[in-house]
Amino acid sequence: MENYSKQREEIIDIMKELYNHPTAEEIYFLVKQKDPAISRSTVYRNLKFLSDKGVVTQISVSNGPDRYDYIEERKKHGHVICTKCGRLYDFNYDLDIEKVKQNIFSQTGVEILNDGIAMKGICSSCKSKM
Amino acid sequence: MENYSKQREEIIDIMKELYNHPTAEEIYFLVKQKDPAISRSTVYRNLKFLSDKGVVTQISVSNGPDRYDYIEERKKHGHVICTKCGRLYDFNYDLDIEKVKQNIFSQTGVEILNDGIAMKGICSSCKSKM
DNA sequence: TTCCATGCAAATCGTTTGCATAAAC
DNA sequence: GTTTATGCAAACGATTTGCATGGAA
């Protein structure tokens, strides 16, 4: 996995346009509109490749398919998922995040990735229904 | 799902003893040693039930089965996973986490759960191999 | 002309479901 | 007795894999 391919370029192009954390399946259908011959496994293979390369983030959510996010350097952010409705929200990093990262590093030796912050909680609309 | 059952009690008992974020499969085999007749689906059903009830936490990790953690009130902690080797580490909450939670709440309206903090990063041993 | 990526279908993994039986209330 | 939980096996969704073909270096 190092060579150019038309399909990989198409996948990256689509990812750049999307801001809603699409699933592999959603990406597959969108790319398919431009390139009907593309196969599902090419999409999965490339998403894995791209997340290894740090081009996209893979967000694994409970009880559902993984979501993907194109990483823009200028927009570092974390993700929060509502455990009731499954909705995924972005949030921007603040100063305190850096302190938390350092604390975790000193406790565990793990260096948190720039996109590696994911939280679980309950969103306001779900909370109001309880 | 509200009644007592021997199987559910056995699952909870096992969970209380484990501190290594076992998978459903691992829990199944451990309970099976005490109760060979128990079925896999009973384990899955009860883990889901218990995580809905807030007795255990469900931790979803990329490219692998979910992990479960018995929640002890006195030991609130978050989880960090190394994206290279998949090892899962605990870390304890600090003061700054509260500030981060508040910031996220004001940005998104999502209230972070006590066990809802999961991070991704690279652990020291994987980093040294790069 | 060698290596890497693709498309297809089958396989795999983790988990959920339908249904008959058994246990709780 | 009625409800709820279990065990089994089959179904399921998401993802991965083997293999033959096609494209890139």
Side-chain angles (χ1 to χ4, degrees), chain A residues 100 104 117-120, chain B residues 77-80 91 93 97 101 112-119:
Chain A
V100 171
I104 292 169
I117 301 186
M119 309 276 182
K120 287 195 278 188
Chain B
H77 64 274
H79 298 109
V80 209
F91 68 88
Y93 282 5
I97 280 277
K101 281 187 182 181
I112 306 302
L113 302 172
N114 279 327
D115 57 337
I117 301 186
M119 309 276 183

PDB file of all heavy atoms in Angstrom, chain A residues 100 104 117-120, chain B residues 77-80 91 93 97 101 112-119:
ATOM      1  N   VAL A 100      -4.290  17.638  31.050  1.00  0.00           N
ATOM      2  CA  VAL A 100      -4.802  16.271  31.200  1.00  0.00           C
ATOM      3  C   VAL A 100      -3.897  15.289  30.461  1.00  0.00           C
ATOM      4  O   VAL A 100      -3.530  14.239  30.991  1.00  0.00           O
ATOM      5  CB  VAL A 100      -6.251  16.171  30.683  1.00  0.00           C
ATOM      6  CG1 VAL A 100      -6.712  14.724  30.632  1.00  0.00           C
ATOM      7  CG2 VAL A 100      -7.188  16.984  31.554  1.00  0.00           C
ATOM      8  N   ILE A 104      -1.916  12.152  32.063  1.00  0.00           N
ATOM      9  CA  ILE A 104      -2.057  10.776  31.587  1.00  0.00           C
ATOM     10  C   ILE A 104      -0.697  10.206  31.198  1.00  0.00           C
ATOM     11  O   ILE A 104      -0.371   9.060  31.515  1.00  0.00           O
ATOM     12  CB  ILE A 104      -3.037  10.727  30.388  1.00  0.00           C
ATOM     13  CG1 ILE A 104      -4.448  11.056  30.859  1.00  0.00           C
ATOM     14  CG2 ILE A 104      -2.994   9.363  29.715  1.00  0.00           C
ATOM     15  CD1 ILE A 104      -5.428  11.300  29.740  1.00  0.00           C
ATOM     16  N   ILE A 117      -8.957  11.966  21.537  1.00  0.00           N
ATOM     17  CA  ILE A 117      -9.768  12.205  22.717  1.00  0.00           C
ATOM     18  C   ILE A 117     -11.236  11.972  22.409  1.00  0.00           C
ATOM     19  O   ILE A 117     -11.818  12.629  21.566  1.00  0.00           O
ATOM     20  CB  ILE A 117      -9.535  13.628  23.254  1.00  0.00           C
ATOM     21  CG1 ILE A 117      -8.039  13.760  23.589  1.00  0.00           C
ATOM     22  CG2 ILE A 117     -10.403  13.901  24.466  1.00  0.00           C
ATOM     23  CD1 ILE A 117      -7.672  15.028  24.256  1.00  0.00           C
ATOM     24  N   ALA A 118     -11.797  11.000  23.085  1.00  0.00           N
ATOM     25  CA  ALA A 118     -13.193  10.652  22.839  1.00  0.00           C
ATOM     26  C   ALA A 118     -13.893  10.505  24.187  1.00  0.00           C
ATOM     27  O   ALA A 118     -13.366   9.897  25.104  1.00  0.00           O
ATOM     28  CB  ALA A 118     -13.292   9.351  22.063  1.00  0.00           C
ATOM     29  N   MET A 119     -15.050  11.076  24.273  1.00  0.00           N
ATOM     30  CA  MET A 119     -15.787  11.060  25.528  1.00  0.00           C
ATOM     31  C   MET A 119     -17.154  10.423  25.311  1.00  0.00           C
ATOM     32  O   MET A 119     -17.688  10.422  24.208  1.00  0.00           O
ATOM     33  CB  MET A 119     -16.003  12.488  26.021  1.00  0.00           C
ATOM     34  CG  MET A 119     -14.746  13.322  26.065  1.00  0.00           C
ATOM     35  SD  MET A 119     -13.845  13.032  27.587  1.00  0.00           S
ATOM     36  CE  MET A 119     -12.488  14.182  27.375  1.00  0.00           C
ATOM     37  N   LYS A 120     -17.702   9.946  26.418  1.00  0.00           N
ATOM     38  CA  LYS A 120     -19.069   9.435  26.370  1.00  0.00           C
ATOM     39  C   LYS A 120     -19.900  10.197  27.386  1.00  0.00           C
ATOM     40  O   LYS A 120     -19.432  10.496  28.482  1.00  0.00           O
ATOM     41  CB  LYS A 120     -19.096   7.947  26.709  1.00  0.00           C
ATOM     42  CG  LYS A 120     -18.551   7.073  25.623  1.00  0.00           C
ATOM     43  CD  LYS A 120     -18.927   5.612  25.818  1.00  0.00           C
ATOM     44  CE  LYS A 120     -18.023   4.911  26.787  1.00  0.00           C
ATOM     45  NZ  LYS A 120     -18.270   3.444  26.838  1.00  0.00           N
TER      46      LYS A 120
ATOM     47  N   HIS B  77     -12.129   6.325  36.974  1.00  0.00           N
ATOM     48  CA  HIS B  77     -10.941   6.432  36.140  1.00  0.00           C
ATOM     49  C   HIS B  77     -11.304   6.459  34.669  1.00  0.00           C
ATOM     50  O   HIS B  77     -12.420   6.117  34.285  1.00  0.00           O
ATOM     51  CB  HIS B  77      -9.993   5.273  36.431  1.00  0.00           C
ATOM     52  CG  HIS B  77     -10.554   3.929  36.074  1.00  0.00           C
ATOM     53  ND1 HIS B  77     -11.333   3.200  36.930  1.00  0.00           N
ATOM     54  CD2 HIS B  77     -10.448   3.200  34.952  1.00  0.00           C
ATOM     55  CE1 HIS B  77     -11.690   2.073  36.344  1.00  0.00           C
ATOM     56  NE2 HIS B  77     -11.171   2.051  35.138  1.00  0.00           N
ATOM     57  N   GLY B  78     -10.351   6.878  33.878  1.00  0.00           N
ATOM     58  CA  GLY B  78     -10.531   6.869  32.434  1.00  0.00           C
ATOM     59  C   GLY B  78      -9.673   5.794  31.799  1.00  0.00           C
ATOM     60  O   GLY B  78      -8.938   5.096  32.495  1.00  0.00           O
ATOM     61  N   HIS B  79      -9.796   5.659  30.495  1.00  0.00           N
ATOM     62  CA  HIS B  79      -9.057   4.625  29.777  1.00  0.00           C
ATOM     63  C   HIS B  79      -8.265   5.211  28.626  1.00  0.00           C
ATOM     64  O   HIS B  79      -8.748   6.095  27.928  1.00  0.00           O
ATOM     65  CB  HIS B  79     -10.038   3.574  29.242  1.00  0.00           C
ATOM     66  CG  HIS B  79     -10.779   2.863  30.313  1.00  0.00           C
ATOM     67  ND1 HIS B  79     -12.124   3.060  30.551  1.00  0.00           N
ATOM     68  CD2 HIS B  79     -10.379   1.984  31.253  1.00  0.00           C
ATOM     69  CE1 HIS B  79     -12.503   2.318  31.572  1.00  0.00           C
ATOM     70  NE2 HIS B  79     -11.459   1.658  32.024  1.00  0.00           N
ATOM     71  N   VAL B  80      -7.076   4.689  28.463  1.00  0.00           N
ATOM     72  CA  VAL B  80      -6.244   5.067  27.324  1.00  0.00           C
ATOM     73  C   VAL B  80      -5.889   3.802  26.580  1.00  0.00           C
ATOM     74  O   VAL B  80      -5.468   2.823  27.194  1.00  0.00           O
ATOM     75  CB  VAL B  80      -4.871   5.648  27.743  1.00  0.00           C
ATOM     76  CG1 VAL B  80      -4.392   6.630  26.707  1.00  0.00           C
ATOM     77  CG2 VAL B  80      -4.918   6.229  29.113  1.00  0.00           C
ATOM     78  N   PHE B  91      -6.255   5.407  33.869  1.00  0.00           N
ATOM     79  CA  PHE B  91      -5.637   6.551  34.536  1.00  0.00           C
ATOM     80  C   PHE B  91      -6.659   7.176  35.474  1.00  0.00           C
ATOM     81  O   PHE B  91      -7.866   7.060  35.256  1.00  0.00           O
ATOM     82  CB  PHE B  91      -5.103   7.580  33.538  1.00  0.00           C
ATOM     83  CG  PHE B  91      -6.168   8.289  32.757  1.00  0.00           C
ATOM     84  CD1 PHE B  91      -6.751   9.449  33.248  1.00  0.00           C
ATOM     85  CD2 PHE B  91      -6.573   7.807  31.525  1.00  0.00           C
ATOM     86  CE1 PHE B  91      -7.745  10.098  32.524  1.00  0.00           C
ATOM     87  CE2 PHE B  91      -7.556   8.447  30.802  1.00  0.00           C
ATOM     88  CZ  PHE B  91      -8.154   9.589  31.304  1.00  0.00           C
ATOM     89  N   TYR B  93      -8.566  10.230  37.544  1.00  0.00           N
ATOM     90  CA  TYR B  93      -9.022  11.579  37.246  1.00  0.00           C
ATOM     91  C   TYR B  93      -8.233  12.608  38.044  1.00  0.00           C
ATOM     92  O   TYR B  93      -7.824  12.369  39.174  1.00  0.00           O
ATOM     93  CB  TYR B  93     -10.491  11.713  37.624  1.00  0.00           C
ATOM     94  CG  TYR B  93     -11.422  11.086  36.625  1.00  0.00           C
ATOM     95  CD1 TYR B  93     -10.939  10.376  35.539  1.00  0.00           C
ATOM     96  CD2 TYR B  93     -12.795  11.226  36.762  1.00  0.00           C
ATOM     97  CE1 TYR B  93     -11.801   9.812  34.625  1.00  0.00           C
ATOM     98  CE2 TYR B  93     -13.670  10.662  35.854  1.00  0.00           C
ATOM     99  CZ  TYR B  93     -13.167   9.956  34.790  1.00  0.00           C
ATOM    100  OH  TYR B  93     -14.024   9.399  33.897  1.00  0.00           O
ATOM    101  N   ILE B  97      -9.476  17.459  34.601  1.00  0.00           N
ATOM    102  CA  ILE B  97     -10.524  16.738  33.887  1.00  0.00           C
ATOM    103  C   ILE B  97     -11.866  17.441  34.095  1.00  0.00           C
ATOM    104  O   ILE B  97     -12.665  17.560  33.163  1.00  0.00           O
ATOM    105  CB  ILE B  97     -10.611  15.273  34.395  1.00  0.00           C
ATOM    106  CG1 ILE B  97      -9.523  14.414  33.755  1.00  0.00           C
ATOM    107  CG2 ILE B  97     -11.978  14.692  34.112  1.00  0.00           C
ATOM    108  CD1 ILE B  97      -9.837  13.886  32.378  1.00  0.00           C
ATOM    109  N   LYS B 101     -14.337  18.724  31.202  1.00  0.00           N
ATOM    110  CA  LYS B 101     -15.748  18.331  31.142  1.00  0.00           C
ATOM    111  C   LYS B 101     -16.648  19.543  30.997  1.00  0.00           C
ATOM    112  O   LYS B 101     -17.588  19.543  30.205  1.00  0.00           O
ATOM    113  CB  LYS B 101     -16.136  17.602  32.437  1.00  0.00           C
ATOM    114  CG  LYS B 101     -15.714  16.161  32.532  1.00  0.00           C
ATOM    115  CD  LYS B 101     -16.348  15.579  33.791  1.00  0.00           C
ATOM    116  CE  LYS B 101     -15.958  14.148  34.042  1.00  0.00           C
ATOM    117  NZ  LYS B 101     -16.621  13.610  35.251  1.00  0.00           N
ATOM    118  N   ILE B 112     -20.567  14.682  30.378  1.00  0.00           N
ATOM    119  CA  ILE B 112     -19.684  13.510  30.330  1.00  0.00           C
ATOM    120  C   ILE B 112     -19.945  12.606  31.526  1.00  0.00           C
ATOM    121  O   ILE B 112     -20.028  13.051  32.660  1.00  0.00           O
ATOM    122  CB  ILE B 112     -18.206  13.941  30.343  1.00  0.00           C
ATOM    123  CG1 ILE B 112     -17.910  14.940  29.233  1.00  0.00           C
ATOM    124  CG2 ILE B 112     -17.286  12.723  30.230  1.00  0.00           C
ATOM    125  CD1 ILE B 112     -18.210  14.450  27.855  1.00  0.00           C
ATOM    126  N   LEU B 113     -20.056  11.317  31.239  1.00  0.00           N
ATOM    127  CA  LEU B 113     -20.273  10.347  32.307  1.00  0.00           C
ATOM    128  C   LEU B 113     -18.985  10.128  33.090  1.00  0.00           C
ATOM    129  O   LEU B 113     -17.887  10.381  32.603  1.00  0.00           O
ATOM    130  CB  LEU B 113     -20.728   9.017  31.704  1.00  0.00           C
ATOM    131  CG  LEU B 113     -22.008   9.095  30.866  1.00  0.00           C
ATOM    132  CD1 LEU B 113     -22.250   7.775  30.153  1.00  0.00           C
ATOM    133  CD2 LEU B 113     -23.187   9.447  31.759  1.00  0.00           C
ATOM    134  N   ASN B 114     -19.138   9.610  34.282  1.00  0.00           N
ATOM    135  CA  ASN B 114     -17.975   9.414  35.146  1.00  0.00           C
ATOM    136  C   ASN B 114     -16.951   8.449  34.565  1.00  0.00           C
ATOM    137  O   ASN B 114     -15.777   8.531  34.861  1.00  0.00           O
ATOM    138  CB  ASN B 114     -18.424   8.899  36.508  1.00  0.00           C
ATOM    139  CG  ASN B 114     -18.901  10.035  37.370  1.00  0.00           C
ATOM    140  OD1 ASN B 114     -18.392  11.151  37.273  1.00  0.00           O
ATOM    141  ND2 ASN B 114     -19.880   9.766  38.207  1.00  0.00           N
ATOM    142  N   ASP B 115     -17.416   7.545  33.766  1.00  0.00           N
ATOM    143  CA  ASP B 115     -16.490   6.576  33.179  1.00  0.00           C
ATOM    144  C   ASP B 115     -16.339   6.805  31.681  1.00  0.00           C
ATOM    145  O   ASP B 115     -15.878   5.945  30.959  1.00  0.00           O
ATOM    146  CB  ASP B 115     -17.017   5.172  33.430  1.00  0.00           C
ATOM    147  CG  ASP B 115     -18.417   5.011  32.855  1.00  0.00           C
ATOM    148  OD1 ASP B 115     -19.105   6.028  32.675  1.00  0.00           O
ATOM    149  OD2 ASP B 115     -18.814   3.881  32.579  1.00  0.00           O
ATOM    150  N   GLY B 116     -16.733   7.995  31.233  1.00  0.00           N
ATOM    151  CA  GLY B 116     -16.857   8.212  29.796  1.00  0.00           C
ATOM    152  C   GLY B 116     -15.655   8.837  29.123  1.00  0.00           C
ATOM    153  O   GLY B 116     -15.790   9.431  28.071  1.00  0.00           O
ATOM    154  N   ILE B 117     -14.499   8.676  29.715  1.00  0.00           N
ATOM    155  CA  ILE B 117     -13.333   9.312  29.122  1.00  0.00           C
ATOM    156  C   ILE B 117     -12.382   8.270  28.566  1.00  0.00           C
ATOM    157  O   ILE B 117     -11.868   7.429  29.288  1.00  0.00           O
ATOM    158  CB  ILE B 117     -12.631  10.209  30.152  1.00  0.00           C
ATOM    159  CG1 ILE B 117     -13.632  11.260  30.633  1.00  0.00           C
ATOM    160  CG2 ILE B 117     -11.390  10.844  29.554  1.00  0.00           C
ATOM    161  CD1 ILE B 117     -13.058  12.301  31.534  1.00  0.00           C
ATOM    162  N   ALA B 118     -12.203   8.308  27.269  1.00  0.00           N
ATOM    163  CA  ALA B 118     -11.343   7.329  26.612  1.00  0.00           C
ATOM    164  C   ALA B 118     -10.399   8.061  25.673  1.00  0.00           C
ATOM    165  O   ALA B 118     -10.818   8.941  24.931  1.00  0.00           O
ATOM    166  CB  ALA B 118     -12.188   6.332  25.831  1.00  0.00           C
ATOM    167  N   MET B 119      -9.166   7.697  25.723  1.00  0.00           N
ATOM    168  CA  MET B 119      -8.159   8.368  24.916  1.00  0.00           C
ATOM    169  C   MET B 119      -7.455   7.365  24.025  1.00  0.00           C
ATOM    170  O   MET B 119      -7.389   6.168  24.339  1.00  0.00           O
ATOM    171  CB  MET B 119      -7.117   9.021  25.823  1.00  0.00           C
ATOM    172  CG  MET B 119      -7.690   9.890  26.911  1.00  0.00           C
ATOM    173  SD  MET B 119      -8.031  11.545  26.316  1.00  0.00           S
ATOM    174  CE  MET B 119      -8.603  12.311  27.833  1.00  0.00           C
TER     175      MET B 119
END
